[in-house]
Amino acid sequence: MNLRIPGPTPCPPDVLAAVAQPMINHRGPEFANVLTTASEGLKWVFGTSSEVFTLTASGTGGLEAAIVNVLSPGDPVLSISIGSFGERFANIAKSYGANVDTYSVEWGKAADPTEVAARLESNPNYKAILVTHNETSTGVTNPLKEIAEVAKPYDCLVIVDAVSSLSSIPCPVEEWGLDVVISGSQKGWMSPPGLAFVWLSEKAWLANESATMPRFYFDLARAKNSLEKGQTPWTPALSVFFALEHAFGLMREEGLESIYERHRKAGELTRSIAIKNGLELFADNDYASNTVTAIKWPENVDGKKISSLARDKFNVVIGGGQAKLQGKIFRIGHLGHFELKEIEDAVLTVVNLLENSTEG
Ligand SMILES: *Cc1c(COP(=O)(O)O)cnc(C)c1O
């Protein structure tokens, strides 16, 4: 099966074998060792010397944890939304009573740092900005470094959904001055779904002391206390931890720069094959993502039918469009563990099916 959705992504065979390890005592030294390996790996990839917390949840749980640990009901927040995951992030903040203003960008385009600066200038009281680093629904990567840069003169926290970017494209959290950053195991981390990663800057920890949004399972102060004892507050998804431990071995062997380079090549390859075969990309080319490519279905094509044929006849599974993009685009995931050949095969399978379908 050539699974080419932008998460869950295929896991290397050794990672899958690691999942099959026997259960261990999550309150004993066995797990403390696994947790240490995971934590060291996470710090390395996040580019930080302070702790990254691993929660047993999908990425959305990580987003929720980020919101409830640093904000209070009524806090003014600026949501920068460029697609469906940006909307989700804003909705979580609204659900917990934040006072959310939205800077919405046309889907397919990236946020403009100048516009973010103008919004912060006109409302300097924002407690936080919420921004999606890589918008998986549209295949767009925001200029996060520049957005964080314009936020620097203000007191606001920069809260970043880096679920489909971190570990695949550069996102050095300390160097870029970010405050809360979230990722998820099933995207670029070569691991199964089940773990979310959350990092807080010193400034975010200060905000945590006075933040009053309700929280229990996702209370990061508890996670911090537990981590000091080599534990997590609640029973962790041990099998996914085993996978992650192994995945970090592979990532260290390859090296971060090589991993980023492999993703850059995959992005370029996917876009060039699509264009060469007369397909149109959905994302603004200057901000096209190197982890997922969104491609427009040609006019009058039944995308659902082509996707089913790709799956049933050729074992190629591609992603569809989300929300208002349903039936309008398809998405090719190229993140985590992959060979360039697999990406090429997936795009060419769709291209061939499209050619056959128009021939009649
Ligand atoms: C996958 C993803 C999420 C989280 O989705 P889950 O299904 O909860 O893991 C959040 N944001 C982005 C940008 C994503 O790609």
Side-chain angles (χ1 to χ4, degrees):
M1 171 84 69
N2 189 355
L3 182 65
R4 292 271 63 92
I5 59 173
T9 60
C11 300
D14 302 5
V15 169
L16 292 178
V19 171
Q21 288 175 85
M23 289 303 109
I24 55 175
N25 176 11
H26 65 302
R27 303 284 177 220
E30 310 89 318
F31 179 65
N33 284 333
V34 178
L35 187 56
T36 302
T37 308
S39 296
E40 290 306 314
L42 287 165
K43 286 186 201 173
W44 168 60
V45 177
F46 274 66
T48 178
S49 53
S50 65
E51 294 299 342
V52 180
F53 298 90
T54 302
L55 313 172
T56 289
S58 80
T60 306
L63 299 181
E64 182 158 332
I67 299 283
V68 300
N69 278 279
V70 299
L71 295 174
S72 302
D75 275 352
V77 168
L78 177 65
S79 143
I80 301 170
S81 177
I82 69 164
S84 157
F85 287 102
E87 285 184 355
R88 182 183 300 182
F89 211 1
N91 284 336
I92 296 171
K94 282 179 201 163
S95 301
Y96 280 97
N99 190 358
V100 180
D101 290 340
T102 303
Y103 161 33
S104 275
V105 176
E106 186 191 332
W107 289 21
K109 298 218 160 27
D112 177 3
T114 314
E115 179 62 26
V116 175
R119 303 240 176 178
L120 289 172
E121 176 71 30
S122 68
N123 190 350
N125 295 325
Y126 284 124
K127 273 276 166 61
I129 59 173
L130 310 180
V131 55
T132 318
H133 185 196
N134 185 78
E135 180 48 77
T136 320
S137 68
T138 61
V140 172
T141 303
N142 265 322
L144 179 59
K145 185 182 177 198
E146 289 74 13
I147 291 171
E149 195 64 41
V150 301
K152 268 189 189 145
Y154 302 91
D155 205 24
C156 70
L157 297 167
V158 179
I159 309 184
V160 182
D161 172 351
V163 175
S164 65
S165 58
L166 243 164
S167 80
S168 308
I169 54 185
C171 183
V173 299
E174 281 182 6
E175 192 188 317
W176 287 2
L178 312 176
D179 291 300
V180 187
V181 182
I182 306 100
S183 196
S185 58
Q186 83 276 26
K187 299 289 169 83
W189 304 83
M190 301 195 277
S191 298
L195 296 178
F197 316 124
V198 185
W199 173 82
L200 268 66
S201 68
E202 268 177 50
K203 186 166 139 188
W205 276 114
L206 273 178
N208 172 257
E209 287 173 15
S210 57
T212 62
M213 278 186 183
R215 52 189 175 268
F216 187 86
Y217 184 77
F218 289 134
D219 187 345
L220 292 176
R222 282 181 200 253
K224 199 179 192 187
N225 276 333
S226 294
L227 192 58
E228 283 161 15
K229 296 180 283 183
Q231 296 183 10
T232 53
W234 329 112
T235 309
L238 289 171
S239 308
V240 190
F241 264 101
F242 297 153
L244 190 66
E245 185 185 29
H246 199 88
F248 277 125
L250 299 176
M251 290 174 74
R252 287 194 192 269
E253 248 171 62
E254 187 176 2
L256 273 185
E257 279 316 313
S258 308
I259 292 174
Y260 297 153
E261 180 60 22
R262 181 163 56 83
H263 284 82
R264 263 196 297 275
K265 281 188 181 146
E268 279 165 18
L269 179 76
T270 311
R271 295 190 290 274
S272 76
I273 298 175
I275 290 169
K276 214 183 296 170
N277 288 284
L279 294 173
E280 223 180 303
L281 302 177
F282 182 73
D284 179 346
N285 200 44
D286 291 340
Y287 298 96
S289 166
N290 285 332
T291 60
V292 53
T293 298
I295 303 171
K296 291 183 193 171
W297 287 118
E299 292 286 325
N300 304 321
V301 157
D302 183 351
K304 211 167 157 194
K305 195 169 147 206
I306 302 281
S307 298
S308 303
L309 284 171
R311 181 190 61 221
D312 298 341
K313 282 191 155 175
F314 301 99
N315 273 327
V316 169
V317 177
I318 60 172
Q322 285 170 301
K324 60 187 175 197
L325 293 179
Q326 225 173 14
K328 300 216 158 60
I329 61 163
F330 64 98
R331 293 173 305 147
I332 301 286
H334 33 80
L335 71 169
H337 170 71
F338 60 82
E339 300 286 340
L340 288 175
K341 180 79 176 65
E342 295 168 308
I343 311 291
E344 185 178 2
D345 282 352
V347 187
L348 288 177
T349 299
V350 177
V351 166
N352 289 332
L353 284 168
L354 282 170
E355 279 171 5
N356 292 338
S357 79
T358 50
E359 275 162 19

PDB file of all heavy atoms in Angstrom, residues 284-299:
ATOM      1  N   ASP A 284      -0.285  28.828  -3.448  1.00  0.00           N
ATOM      2  CA  ASP A 284       0.586  29.882  -3.945  1.00  0.00           C
ATOM      3  C   ASP A 284       2.012  29.314  -4.005  1.00  0.00           C
ATOM      4  O   ASP A 284       2.540  28.838  -2.998  1.00  0.00           O
ATOM      5  CB  ASP A 284       0.511  31.042  -2.944  1.00  0.00           C
ATOM      6  CG  ASP A 284       1.404  32.215  -3.315  1.00  0.00           C
ATOM      7  OD1 ASP A 284       2.282  32.052  -4.187  1.00  0.00           O
ATOM      8  OD2 ASP A 284       1.219  33.288  -2.707  1.00  0.00           O
ATOM      9  N   ASN A 285       2.615  29.362  -5.185  1.00  0.00           N
ATOM     10  CA  ASN A 285       3.898  28.679  -5.384  1.00  0.00           C
ATOM     11  C   ASN A 285       5.003  29.145  -4.422  1.00  0.00           C
ATOM     12  O   ASN A 285       5.845  28.356  -4.014  1.00  0.00           O
ATOM     13  CB  ASN A 285       4.352  28.830  -6.834  1.00  0.00           C
ATOM     14  CG  ASN A 285       5.370  27.766  -7.205  1.00  0.00           C
ATOM     15  OD1 ASN A 285       5.184  26.590  -6.861  1.00  0.00           O
ATOM     16  ND2 ASN A 285       6.455  28.168  -7.838  1.00  0.00           N
ATOM     17  N   ASP A 286       4.975  30.410  -4.045  1.00  0.00           N
ATOM     18  CA  ASP A 286       6.025  30.931  -3.157  1.00  0.00           C
ATOM     19  C   ASP A 286       5.949  30.330  -1.759  1.00  0.00           C
ATOM     20  O   ASP A 286       6.907  30.412  -0.994  1.00  0.00           O
ATOM     21  CB  ASP A 286       5.904  32.457  -3.025  1.00  0.00           C
ATOM     22  CG  ASP A 286       6.257  33.143  -4.338  1.00  0.00           C
ATOM     23  OD1 ASP A 286       6.940  32.502  -5.168  1.00  0.00           O
ATOM     24  OD2 ASP A 286       5.840  34.299  -4.533  1.00  0.00           O
ATOM     25  N   TYR A 287       4.785  29.778  -1.409  1.00  0.00           N
ATOM     26  CA  TYR A 287       4.603  29.245  -0.057  1.00  0.00           C
ATOM     27  C   TYR A 287       4.173  27.784  -0.081  1.00  0.00           C
ATOM     28  O   TYR A 287       3.607  27.276   0.884  1.00  0.00           O
ATOM     29  CB  TYR A 287       3.592  30.108   0.715  1.00  0.00           C
ATOM     30  CG  TYR A 287       4.086  31.521   0.878  1.00  0.00           C
ATOM     31  CD1 TYR A 287       3.697  32.532  -0.014  1.00  0.00           C
ATOM     32  CD2 TYR A 287       4.995  31.845   1.880  1.00  0.00           C
ATOM     33  CE1 TYR A 287       4.181  33.827   0.108  1.00  0.00           C
ATOM     34  CE2 TYR A 287       5.487  33.132   2.009  1.00  0.00           C
ATOM     35  CZ  TYR A 287       5.073  34.115   1.121  1.00  0.00           C
ATOM     36  OH  TYR A 287       5.570  35.387   1.244  1.00  0.00           O
ATOM     37  N   ALA A 288       4.438  27.107  -1.214  1.00  0.00           N
ATOM     38  CA  ALA A 288       4.019  25.708  -1.347  1.00  0.00           C
ATOM     39  C   ALA A 288       4.743  24.850  -0.309  1.00  0.00           C
ATOM     40  O   ALA A 288       5.933  24.999  -0.066  1.00  0.00           O
ATOM     41  CB  ALA A 288       4.319  25.212  -2.750  1.00  0.00           C
ATOM     42  N   SER A 289       3.993  23.966   0.296  1.00  0.00           N
ATOM     43  CA  SER A 289       4.505  23.134   1.383  1.00  0.00           C
ATOM     44  C   SER A 289       5.411  22.018   0.873  1.00  0.00           C
ATOM     45  O   SER A 289       5.161  21.440  -0.189  1.00  0.00           O
ATOM     46  CB  SER A 289       3.324  22.522   2.136  1.00  0.00           C
ATOM     47  OG  SER A 289       3.771  21.489   2.977  1.00  0.00           O
ATOM     48  N   ASN A 290       6.421  21.703   1.663  1.00  0.00           N
ATOM     49  CA  ASN A 290       7.282  20.570   1.334  1.00  0.00           C
ATOM     50  C   ASN A 290       6.894  19.306   2.090  1.00  0.00           C
ATOM     51  O   ASN A 290       7.624  18.320   2.080  1.00  0.00           O
ATOM     52  CB  ASN A 290       8.745  20.925   1.590  1.00  0.00           C
ATOM     53  CG  ASN A 290       9.280  21.855   0.504  1.00  0.00           C
ATOM     54  OD1 ASN A 290       8.807  21.834  -0.629  1.00  0.00           O
ATOM     55  ND2 ASN A 290      10.244  22.686   0.853  1.00  0.00           N
ATOM     56  N   THR A 291       5.727  19.332   2.754  1.00  0.00           N
ATOM     57  CA  THR A 291       5.257  18.094   3.396  1.00  0.00           C
ATOM     58  C   THR A 291       3.963  17.578   2.763  1.00  0.00           C
ATOM     59  O   THR A 291       3.644  16.401   2.883  1.00  0.00           O
ATOM     60  CB  THR A 291       5.022  18.259   4.917  1.00  0.00           C
ATOM     61  OG1 THR A 291       4.033  19.264   5.139  1.00  0.00           O
ATOM     62  CG2 THR A 291       6.303  18.638   5.641  1.00  0.00           C
ATOM     63  N   VAL A 292       3.206  18.473   2.127  1.00  0.00           N
ATOM     64  CA  VAL A 292       1.960  18.044   1.477  1.00  0.00           C
ATOM     65  C   VAL A 292       1.691  18.956   0.282  1.00  0.00           C
ATOM     66  O   VAL A 292       1.861  20.173   0.367  1.00  0.00           O
ATOM     67  CB  VAL A 292       0.765  18.057   2.475  1.00  0.00           C
ATOM     68  CG1 VAL A 292       0.624  19.393   3.167  1.00  0.00           C
ATOM     69  CG2 VAL A 292      -0.543  17.696   1.783  1.00  0.00           C
ATOM     70  N   THR A 293       1.305  18.346  -0.837  1.00  0.00           N
ATOM     71  CA  THR A 293       0.993  19.129  -2.030  1.00  0.00           C
ATOM     72  C   THR A 293      -0.490  18.992  -2.355  1.00  0.00           C
ATOM     73  O   THR A 293      -1.016  17.872  -2.418  1.00  0.00           O
ATOM     74  CB  THR A 293       1.846  18.659  -3.230  1.00  0.00           C
ATOM     75  OG1 THR A 293       3.222  18.875  -2.904  1.00  0.00           O
ATOM     76  CG2 THR A 293       1.499  19.444  -4.498  1.00  0.00           C
ATOM     77  N   ALA A 294      -1.139  20.131  -2.525  1.00  0.00           N
ATOM     78  CA  ALA A 294      -2.558  20.152  -2.902  1.00  0.00           C
ATOM     79  C   ALA A 294      -2.638  20.432  -4.396  1.00  0.00           C
ATOM     80  O   ALA A 294      -2.049  21.396  -4.887  1.00  0.00           O
ATOM     81  CB  ALA A 294      -3.296  21.222  -2.110  1.00  0.00           C
ATOM     82  N   ILE A 295      -3.338  19.558  -5.109  1.00  0.00           N
ATOM     83  CA  ILE A 295      -3.436  19.663  -6.571  1.00  0.00           C
ATOM     84  C   ILE A 295      -4.919  19.745  -6.963  1.00  0.00           C
ATOM     85  O   ILE A 295      -5.745  19.000  -6.424  1.00  0.00           O
ATOM     86  CB  ILE A 295      -2.773  18.432  -7.245  1.00  0.00           C
ATOM     87  CG1 ILE A 295      -1.302  18.322  -6.788  1.00  0.00           C
ATOM     88  CG2 ILE A 295      -2.869  18.520  -8.771  1.00  0.00           C
ATOM     89  CD1 ILE A 295      -0.597  17.042  -7.212  1.00  0.00           C
ATOM     90  N   LYS A 296      -5.218  20.671  -7.874  1.00  0.00           N
ATOM     91  CA  LYS A 296      -6.622  20.834  -8.288  1.00  0.00           C
ATOM     92  C   LYS A 296      -7.044  19.688  -9.196  1.00  0.00           C
ATOM     93  O   LYS A 296      -6.299  19.305 -10.100  1.00  0.00           O
ATOM     94  CB  LYS A 296      -6.788  22.149  -9.062  1.00  0.00           C
ATOM     95  CG  LYS A 296      -6.620  23.390  -8.223  1.00  0.00           C
ATOM     96  CD  LYS A 296      -6.879  24.632  -9.067  1.00  0.00           C
ATOM     97  CE  LYS A 296      -6.405  25.872  -8.335  1.00  0.00           C
ATOM     98  NZ  LYS A 296      -6.430  27.068  -9.194  1.00  0.00           N
ATOM     99  N   TRP A 297      -8.242  19.171  -8.974  1.00  0.00           N
ATOM    100  CA  TRP A 297      -8.815  18.240  -9.949  1.00  0.00           C
ATOM    101  C   TRP A 297      -9.163  19.060 -11.174  1.00  0.00           C
ATOM    102  O   TRP A 297      -9.716  20.164 -11.042  1.00  0.00           O
ATOM    103  CB  TRP A 297     -10.093  17.594  -9.413  1.00  0.00           C
ATOM    104  CG  TRP A 297      -9.895  16.561  -8.343  1.00  0.00           C
ATOM    105  CD1 TRP A 297     -10.362  16.623  -7.068  1.00  0.00           C
ATOM    106  CD2 TRP A 297      -9.222  15.301  -8.455  1.00  0.00           C
ATOM    107  NE1 TRP A 297     -10.010  15.489  -6.370  1.00  0.00           N
ATOM    108  CE2 TRP A 297      -9.308  14.657  -7.209  1.00  0.00           C
ATOM    109  CE3 TRP A 297      -8.543  14.645  -9.493  1.00  0.00           C
ATOM    110  CZ2 TRP A 297      -8.753  13.401  -6.966  1.00  0.00           C
ATOM    111  CZ3 TRP A 297      -7.983  13.395  -9.249  1.00  0.00           C
ATOM    112  CH2 TRP A 297      -8.086  12.782  -7.993  1.00  0.00           C
ATOM    113  N   PRO A 298      -8.867  18.556 -12.374  1.00  0.00           N
ATOM    114  CA  PRO A 298      -9.272  19.306 -13.568  1.00  0.00           C
ATOM    115  C   PRO A 298     -10.802  19.446 -13.611  1.00  0.00           C
ATOM    116  O   PRO A 298     -11.519  18.662 -12.977  1.00  0.00           O
ATOM    117  CB  PRO A 298      -8.791  18.421 -14.726  1.00  0.00           C
ATOM    118  CG  PRO A 298      -7.747  17.529 -14.131  1.00  0.00           C
ATOM    119  CD  PRO A 298      -8.137  17.331 -12.700  1.00  0.00           C
ATOM    120  N   GLU A 299     -11.278  20.440 -14.349  1.00  0.00           N
ATOM    121  CA  GLU A 299     -12.730  20.671 -14.498  1.00  0.00           C
ATOM    122  C   GLU A 299     -13.428  19.385 -14.944  1.00  0.00           C
ATOM    123  O   GLU A 299     -12.883  18.626 -15.748  1.00  0.00           O
ATOM    124  CB  GLU A 299     -12.978  21.736 -15.583  1.00  0.00           C
ATOM    125  CG  GLU A 299     -12.526  23.152 -15.228  1.00  0.00           C
ATOM    126  CD  GLU A 299     -13.447  23.824 -14.215  1.00  0.00           C
ATOM    127  OE1 GLU A 299     -14.672  23.568 -14.277  1.00  0.00           O
ATOM    128  OE2 GLU A 299     -12.937  24.599 -13.379  1.00  0.00           O
TER     129      GLU A 299
END
